Amino acid sequence: MKDISSKVLEGDPRAIARLITLAENNDPVAASAMKDIHPHTGHAHVIGITGVMGSGKSTLISELTRVYRKQGKKVGIVAIDPTSPFSGGALLGDRIRMMELAMDEGVFIRSLGTRGMLGGLASAVYDVVEIFDASGKDVIFVETVGVGQAEVDIIKIADTTLVVMVPGLGDSIQTLKAGIMEIADIYVVNKADREGVEQTMAEVQSLVDISCSDKARKIPILQTVSKEKKGIVELVDEIEKHKKLLEKTKKFEAHRRIRYEAELVEIIRKRLMNLVFDESKFKDKVESLIDKISCKEVDPYTAADEILGKILK
Amino acid sequence: MFDKKELEKIKHGRKDWEKNCYLPHKKRHPERSKKFENLSWNEIKNLYTPGDIAHLDYIKDIGFPGEYPYLRGIHPTKYRGRLWTFRQFSGFGSAEETNRRYKYLLGHGETGLSVAFDYPTLYGYDADHPLARGEFGKCGVAVSSLKDMEILFSEIPIDKVTTSMTINGPAAIVWAFYIANAENRKIDRRIIGGTIQNDILKEYIAQKSFIFPPEPSMRLIVDTFEFGYKEVPRWNTISISGYHIREAGSTAVQELAFTVGDGVEYVKWAMKRGLNIDDFASRLSFFFNAHNDFFEEIAKYRAARRIWAKELKKLGAKKPRSLLMRFHTQTAGCSLTAQQPEINITRVTLQALAAVLGGTQSLHTNSMDEALALPSEKAVRIALRTQQIIAEESGVTGTVDPLGGSYYIEWLTDKMEEETYQYWDRVEKLGGVLPALEKGFYQREIAEAAYRYQKEIDENKRIIVGVNDYKMDEPIEIPILKMDEKGEERQINRLKKLRKDRNNTKVEKNLNALRKAAKSEANLMPFILDCVHSYATLGETCQVLRDVFGEYVEPAIY
Amino acid sequence: MERRIRVLVAKPGLDGHDRGAKIVARALRDAGMEVIYTGLHQTAEMIVETAIQEDVDVVGLSLLSGAHMTLFIDVTKLLKEKGMEDVLVVGGGIIPEEDAPKLKKAGVAGVFGPGTHCGDIVDFIKKNVKR
């Protein structure tokens, strides 16, 4: 679809939005357009933002965007919210906190539901990042769903990952030790005007001291009060410092590789799942196999062998 | 409250009654529902007896009207001495049209005025501001300057009748318009009476017509408390409101807990500034909703009085007048239907009766057409007559707190008070009112309750007559209020002329003085009055404060 | 089932009554749709810009202040200018029956006044979504 992909490369908002939708819905048109735009990607700095609910991620992104915009950079923001496992629907509520950016031509915000995917991301996020990149965005923020032990997939896609915390959640830092706390390139203690900020800083600092004791780079911890625009410029500087470090140590390529691997895995996974469970060719076979498993005529492993065998033929 | 032996007898009597009378009957004739709940989803028993209120001490917990804890009323004579004020909330289009409506209402027996402003005014914008597009006069009267206030109250005796103004963000400025207008008519500010709603906390929680962030808003409010008790002593400088919280979907208990909680917060803020509680507390007033569950509403008002008296005593109030909770009530707008609008009259009657039996000082009854538009003359007249019938014909005004002592009502009053304190505990754990607000606690509770209520209606578990049962297909045949289409143009021209004719140097000087004062800790009322007297507009004055205080962006909670 | 209906729920103008908008947003979510709620005080430009970026199938406008004839039509006009007539527009709030035909003519396909069952809005959207 030369039409839509060339429009995307020109930065046309409607084309960008439409291609994202097509990719999200696994529309065959999308695959063709994504092929066209891939050669034009690789310039944008992808910044992942994760953290507990209520840590002010969206407001923080809003303020960071403002600073980048002053520098003349174009910004894309992907905001991900959980899809209800029961209804399949979602309340995509991050955008509402970034309303002041709504009319800035140099900012594009897209909300995605996780649509069943675990890890804190949405399946389509790789496509969105590629589309934003190809359409000329210099900085891409990816805001993930809340936080937990499992929502760490952000590192697969981000060049720089920020983990955002709020004071007064002292216990949570202990429970977060494994997983979320390990993925940060930069820690941010937002709402730093709240009570308990010293304690939070101390806990994060001790974590950093332990985990970075043998490393070249000590993970920086910054304080911000995003509502009052405090600490934002310093945070942007720190992000830029990290970017320069990635360029210098050639880690950018390594990060990109991880992303492309994850993207490839995701595309294959989607295709396989689609093939097996949605397309009529195999769907009936799968249904009858599930029935057989239910009456113990066949076990799940044998059934899987059978399906995979048929596909690989 | 009862003799121990008597209670034992009653307890056994009840058990026997249940075994021999109630249960056998229920078996043959099942009850209409497995559970009966009120609008706070509290289960209601089939019968209440002295056993349910045995823990209460009449003197300590219930008492006498006009004495602590004021459960039975704040006045010893209540409606035997003076009826509640018939105060119909009203306003639309331009000041001229609303002035006519006020004269109509006063002519038909209304005893107090209440001003509804349009959205631009509520947000502190002049009628010609770009954001005012399409909104002029649609849900209230447009007031952009002192000139409009002069027209609004033209030929109305504001030295004899009190005026309530529903205005929050720019309340200080609109109050200044009123005071300035009175002074221009040679009426002393010391004798004018009325209320400004001026309750910013519930704006953040429910009504959403806030302008500035919490801290400067609270500063402005305490400025008005201080100016009020010193300069305009007959004025209620705040109407701490639960009406809007309820309209946004809260339960009755939440309405009670959040509202009285807000009240306590305001008192604490004023005391933090150094004001003496006994100086300003008697000028704090409240505003509640009158919703559908008849007995729950009555219990709510009674509980509110007792809780307020207790809390103010705890905070150190010494004068009895400081402990009195005076409140205005409005029947629930959200309970009215667009379908078969005439039956709204019945809803309003029941709700108004609950407010009266609960001891309201002032009452607004909604009109039947309000789910469709602003009230027509006929509709508002019927609403007014509803109050007059309750007052003159129903007989309920002959004794004070007629439902006091009812086992059900006293039990429910107590229960609602208990649940209020439970909510306050939760707010405390979140760090207090403002932190809880920032964390979205109130908004979340309200959104949950609203959704649950709507689901019950959608699933036909809760019947709304005319909407999900007793339906009919008929065209709506009641007259709908039409507004003067030329009103907006007239207003904008008036503004243009005003900006030309006034002394603009003076306006500039006064606005700058206000700007400087806003950055300091001075009380802003005198500065605002100067601006207003020189005919600075609402928008211009508000913009100065916007520049200094900033604008509030709400946390988005569904 | 990858395709979800994407709905923008918007509050145009100064009206601050968001109880209905929030309830409808939740009901649509419970019906399997992806809902973006704009929050308060939206201009037509902001609403349409959001509709573009989020590539929504439906725009739902909620208004209780009486300014719907101006503000709803501002939105439908702008959508038309941007060539987005394939977006289904519905509206709700305090809207007198006599205004509904004029709104429909201006592009508001469904008008849902007080007393509307949430299920009716869901059904209407599912039946009438154009894309």
Side-chain angles (χ1 to χ4, degrees):
Chain A
M1 267 239 85
K2 277 270 182 258
D3 217 2
I4 193 170
S5 37
S6 48
K7 285 208 183 110
V8 166
L9 293 173
E10 286 165 15
D12 175 77
R14 288 204 69 191
I16 293 171
R18 181 50 57 88
L19 184 54
I20 293 176
T21 306
L22 292 169
E24 227 190 347
N25 295 336
N26 296 316
D27 193 300
V29 164
S32 172
M34 294 304 290
K35 286 179 191 153
D36 290 337
I37 68 169
H38 182 73
H40 302 268
T41 64
H43 315 290
H45 183 193
V46 182
I47 304 169
I49 312 251
T50 189
V52 284
M53 200 174 89
S55 54
K57 299 188 288 294
S58 302
T59 319
L60 192 64
I61 292 176
S62 202
E63 292 309 319
L64 290 169
T65 302
R66 261 200 241 253
V67 175
Y68 278 114
R69 288 296 297 137
K70 280 213 187 96
Q71 297 174 0
K73 303 228 165 91
K74 294 214 181 85
V75 179
I77 302 172
V78 192
I80 305 171
D81 273 310
T83 295
S84 160
F86 305 110
S87 71
L91 278 173
L92 306 177
D94 296 315
R95 185 187 191 102
I96 196 177
R97 295 177 184 88
M98 303 188 243
M99 263 307 149
E100 295 152 335
L101 304 169
M103 296 311 293
D104 185 339
E105 278 184 348
V107 180
F108 194 111
I109 305 171
R110 179 67 176 233
S111 314
L112 299 179
T114 52
R115 293 194 184 178
M117 181 143 143
L118 302 173
L121 294 179
S123 168
V125 72
Y126 302 102
D127 296 318
V128 178
V129 165
E130 293 251 319
I131 295 168
F132 276 173
D133 195 342
S135 68
K137 310 286 177 271
D138 304 297
V139 175
I140 302 172
F141 288 106
V142 179
E143 181 184 347
T144 71
V145 170
V147 78
Q149 301 285 41
E151 277 75 28
V152 295
D153 278 2
I154 186 70
I155 51 168
K156 290 186 188 160
I157 195 168
D159 300 316
T160 304
T161 300
L162 270 54
V163 172
V164 186
M165 290 155 291
V166 253
L169 287 170
D171 314 318
S172 304
I173 293 190
Q174 298 305 310
T175 57
L176 292 175
K177 243 195 231 156
I180 263 288
M181 292 306 277
E182 297 179 72
I183 65 173
D185 292 311
I186 301 172
Y187 289 111
V188 180
V189 178
N190 193 24
K191 305 194 185 185
D193 54 345
R194 282 218 195 142
E195 249 186 70
V197 63
E198 296 85 11
Q199 199 198 346
T200 306
M201 287 296 287
E203 293 197 29
V204 182
Q205 189 62 61
S206 67
L207 221 100
V208 167
D209 290 339
I210 297 170
S211 62
C212 299
S213 55
D214 58 346
K215 300 225 174 81
R217 175 177 178 267
K218 243 187 161 196
I219 305 173
I221 312 164
L222 276 84
Q223 287 188 32
T224 55
V225 184
S226 51
K227 264 188 167 172
E228 293 172 25
K229 310 187 202 298
K230 290 199 179 126
I232 306 296
V233 172
E234 291 82 348
L235 180 54
V236 171
D237 285 343
E238 202 57 57
I239 295 171
E240 291 306 293
K241 256 186 14 209
H242 186 251
K243 180 177 176 208
K244 289 205 173 67
L245 183 67
L246 290 175
E247 285 164 351
K248 206 171 80 169
T249 58
K250 305 257 190 271
K251 284 249 177 75
F252 245 130
E253 280 84 5
H255 272 247
R256 291 282 150 77
R257 204 164 187 287
I258 294 173
R259 189 202 313 171
Y260 293 137
E261 181 183 357
E263 190 173 351
L264 185 64
V265 166
E266 186 55 25
I267 295 172
I268 293 173
R269 184 193 73 80
K270 268 194 289 196
R271 289 248 176 102
L272 260 178
M273 297 302 275
N274 189 46
L275 196 63
V276 172
F277 292 102
D278 292 336
E279 285 189 16
S280 47
K281 208 165 33 164
F282 288 111
K283 199 167 159 174
D284 300 329
K285 183 77 185 151
V286 171
E287 290 296 316
S288 78
L289 277 171
I290 296 175
D291 291 334
K292 286 199 182 137
I293 298 173
S294 302
C295 9
K296 300 265 196 306
E297 273 181 43
V298 80
D299 70 274
Y301 279 88
T302 310
D305 284 339
E306 216 184 299
I307 297 169
L308 282 170
K310 280 208 162 43
I311 291 176
L312 291 172
K313 260 205 205 104
Chain B
M1 197 156 72
F2 305 99
D3 178 65
K4 264 206 158 87
K5 279 211 208 93
E6 277 299 307
L7 281 174
E8 275 303 305
K9 269 210 261 166
I10 294 170
K11 193 167 152 195
H12 284 298
R14 193 207 163 102
K15 275 210 179 84
D16 287 337
W17 168 79
E18 283 209 1
K19 190 167 133 224
N20 302 322
C21 183
Y22 174 66
L23 288 170
H25 183 93
K26 195 169 121 167
K27 206 162 172 207
R28 289 193 307 272
H29 307 281
E31 287 181 334
R32 289 178 302 116
S33 169
K34 277 211 170 64
K35 233 195 221 198
F36 286 84
E37 288 175 330
N38 65 12
L39 286 175
S40 302
W41 291 294
N42 276 325
E43 185 166 3
I44 303 301
K45 284 202 303 204
N46 56 342
L47 186 77
Y48 289 86
T49 63
D52 292 296
I53 58 171
H55 60 287
L56 295 174
D57 176 311
Y58 184 87
I59 301 292
K60 220 179 52 158
D61 300 318
I62 299 176
F64 296 94
E67 285 183 357
Y68 185 85
Y70 303 104
L71 179 73
R72 305 201 70 179
I74 60 173
H75 294 124
T77 54
K78 197 78 201 110
Y79 303 133
R80 288 166 65 110
R82 205 170 69 147
L83 290 171
W84 65 91
T85 310
F86 306 150
R87 195 185 289 283
Q88 296 294 86
F89 184 50
S90 180
F92 52 89
S94 56
E96 287 90 342
E97 292 168 271
T98 303
N99 175 266
R100 277 198 292 277
R101 176 59 66 93
Y102 288 166
K103 286 170 175 152
Y104 178 81
L105 289 169
L106 289 169
H108 277 282
E110 169 170 89
T111 48
L113 292 169
S114 177
V115 186
F117 296 101
D118 70 358
Y119 261 112
T121 309
L122 293 175
Y123 278 104
Y125 294 124
D126 292 335
D128 55 357
H129 191 279
L131 283 173
R133 175 178 159 68
E135 311 256 18
F136 170 85
K138 288 272 167 23
C139 67
V141 65
V143 170
S144 306
S145 73
L146 177 55
K147 191 102 197 84
D148 296 323
M149 192 62 85
E150 289 162 6
I151 298 169
L152 187 60
F153 290 99
S154 151
E155 295 168 350
I156 289 176
I158 58 176
D159 51 343
K160 302 215 176 53
V161 79
T162 58
T163 304
S164 174
M165 298 192 284
T166 296
I167 186 92
N168 293 279
I173 303 168
V174 174
W175 188 33
F177 285 154
Y178 193 90
I179 298 172
N181 180 40
E183 293 185 321
N184 287 352
R185 284 166 62 169
K186 304 283 185 280
I187 299 170
D188 194 321
R189 57 167 71 160
R190 309 203 148 264
I191 68 159
I192 53 172
T195 307
I196 37 172
Q197 195 166 84
N198 200 26
D199 168 9
I200 206 66
L201 288 174
K202 67 95 172 53
E203 294 303 320
Y204 297 127
I205 292 172
Q207 185 162 242
K208 314 291 172 83
S209 55
F210 42 73
I211 304 178
F212 322 112
E215 291 232 9
S217 299
M218 293 299 257
R219 175 261 180 100
L220 254 179
I221 290 170
V222 179
D223 279 358
T224 58
F225 286 0
E226 195 178 34
F227 189 78
Y229 84 76
K230 286 185 180 154
E231 299 285 324
V232 199
R234 296 187 61 210
W235 198 274
N236 300 313
T237 39
I238 193 169
S239 176
I240 302 156
S241 308
Y243 178 80
H244 320 81
I245 292 173
R246 194 65 187 275
E247 291 292 294
S250 84
T251 64
V253 170
Q254 288 166 346
E255 180 193 342
L256 176 63
F258 297 169
T259 309
V260 184
D262 284 349
V264 171
E265 185 72 7
Y266 286 120
V267 172
K268 287 185 178 156
W269 274 77
M271 288 173 73
K272 234 196 288 189
R273 180 100 85 95
L275 269 60
N276 182 330
I277 192 173
D278 284 312
D279 281 337
F280 66 86
S282 63
R283 275 304 164 200
L284 307 174
S285 66
F286 285 81
F287 174 26
F288 288 110
N289 196 303
H291 210 287
N292 282 336
D293 192 308
F294 188 73
F295 294 115
E296 183 178 40
E297 295 301 288
I298 297 169
K300 178 184 79 186
Y301 307 126
R302 299 172 89 245
R305 273 196 295 271
R306 186 166 62 191
I307 298 170
W308 185 245
K310 278 190 192 166
E311 291 305 308
L312 278 254
K313 211 174 192 203
K314 271 194 223 158
L315 286 167
K318 298 277 184 313
K319 290 203 189 128
R321 287 200 69 209
S322 302
L323 308 178
L324 306 183
M325 173 187 269
R326 295 165 306 118
F327 64 96
H328 170 79
T329 308
Q330 175 165 339
T331 60
C334 62
S335 69
L336 302 182
T337 59
Q339 294 76 7
Q340 302 176 51
E342 295 87 347
I343 66 180
N344 287 322
I345 296 174
T346 315
R347 293 189 173 103
V348 169
T349 308
L350 292 171
Q351 294 160 354
L353 184 59
V356 168
L357 292 173
T360 193
Q361 274 66 46
S362 162
L363 180 62
H364 162 102
T365 34
N366 285 330
S367 304
M368 62 172 152
D369 50 0
E370 294 204 58
L372 298 162
L374 295 183
S376 65
E377 263 184 9
K378 179 169 179 183
V380 75
R381 192 178 66 236
I382 294 176
L384 191 51
R385 296 283 180 255
T386 304
Q387 293 198 43
Q388 289 157 345
I389 289 177
I390 295 176
E392 307 287 354
E393 300 182 12
S394 74
V396 304
T397 57
T399 190
V400 183
D401 188 35
L403 289 171
S406 145
Y407 313 123
Y408 179 32
I409 289 283
E410 296 299 356
W411 171 85
L412 190 55
T413 304
D414 218 55
K415 181 124 181 74
M416 292 183 84
E417 180 175 329
E418 181 189 318
E419 295 193 340
T420 295
Y421 281 108
Q422 283 170 1
Y423 265 112
W424 287 7
D425 274 338
R426 289 169 69 185
V427 171
E428 263 312 298
K429 288 205 173 74
L430 290 168
V433 172
L434 288 182
L437 192 61
E438 206 203 318
K439 291 178 177 144
F441 169 72
Y442 300 103
Q443 299 92 318
R444 215 166 278 126
E445 288 287 308
I446 293 170
E448 288 291 335
Y451 191 61
R452 182 174 173 184
Y453 183 79
Q454 186 60 40
K455 266 191 100 176
E456 288 181 356
I457 294 173
D458 284 349
E459 291 168 1
N460 276 24
K461 291 203 180 104
R462 177 178 300 282
I463 300 301
I464 307 290
V465 175
V467 171
N468 58 3
D469 203 353
Y470 309 108
K471 297 199 276 200
M472 57 190 288
D473 246 313
E474 69 165 6
I476 308 217
E477 276 172 21
I478 51 170
I480 306 255
L481 178 72
K482 287 278 175 257
M483 280 190 264
D484 181 3
E485 304 218 339
K486 296 270 177 217
E488 183 168 7
E489 205 188 304
R490 204 172 39 231
Q491 175 88 348
I492 292 179
N493 289 336
R494 184 158 51 229
L495 266 173
K496 283 203 184 104
K497 188 168 186 304
L498 180 126
R499 291 200 187 104
K500 215 164 52 112
D501 292 347
R502 66 189 181 184
N503 181 338
N504 280 296
T505 328
K506 213 169 173 196
V507 171
E508 183 91 32
K509 183 165 138 267
N510 287 329
L511 288 175
N512 283 330
L514 175 62
R515 194 186 309 273
K516 199 160 160 225
K519 294 188 186 148
S520 78
E521 301 203 341
N523 188 313
L524 295 181
M525 279 309 295
F527 297 92
I528 294 174
L529 270 164
D530 283 342
C531 292
V532 152
H533 265 298
S534 57
Y535 289 94
T537 67
L538 176 69
E540 288 160 353
T541 316
C542 227
Q543 189 58 48
V544 169
L545 297 178
R546 280 187 150 99
D547 291 340
V548 178
F549 296 150
E551 289 186 349
Y552 181 74
V553 176
E554 63 160 357
I557 313 286
Y558 298 46
Chain C
M1 196 266 285
E2 287 298 356
R3 165 84 205 267
R4 304 285 198 287
I5 300 176
R6 285 171 71 90
V7 183
L8 182 64
V9 172
K11 295 263 332 143
L14 298 175
D15 176 27
H17 299 96
D18 54 8
R19 172 179 181 171
K22 287 180 175 178
I23 288 176
V24 170
R26 284 180 105 173
L28 295 179
R29 187 270 313 264
D30 287 350
M33 305 182 195
E34 287 180 345
V35 183
I36 296 127
Y37 172 53
T38 61
L40 302 172
H41 311 151
Q42 303 293 296
T43 61
E45 288 79 11
M46 289 162 82
I47 293 171
V48 172
E49 186 61 33
T50 304
I52 290 175
Q53 292 185 7
E54 298 290 350
D55 200 24
V56 297
D57 305 299
V58 186
V59 169
L61 304 169
S62 162
L63 199 83
L64 284 80
S65 67
H68 48 276
M69 291 306 290
T70 313
L71 299 180
F72 282 14
I73 296 180
D74 278 354
V75 173
T76 54
K77 231 171 84 184
L78 191 54
L79 283 171
K80 195 164 176 210
E81 272 171 42
K82 299 266 179 183
M84 291 170 69
E85 281 156 305
D86 56 349
V87 174
L88 178 70
V89 180
V90 295
I94 301 286
I95 300 167
E97 285 236 353
E98 56 190 50
D99 287 346
K102 290 181 228 155
L103 287 173
K104 286 207 171 97
K105 214 162 148 226
V108 183
V111 176
F112 300 96
T116 299
H117 190 292
C118 284
D120 291 343
I121 304 176
V122 171
D123 290 341
F124 185 88
I125 289 177
K126 285 190 171 154
K127 221 166 82 186
N128 291 287
V129 76
K130 298 178 199 166
R131 309 184 331 173

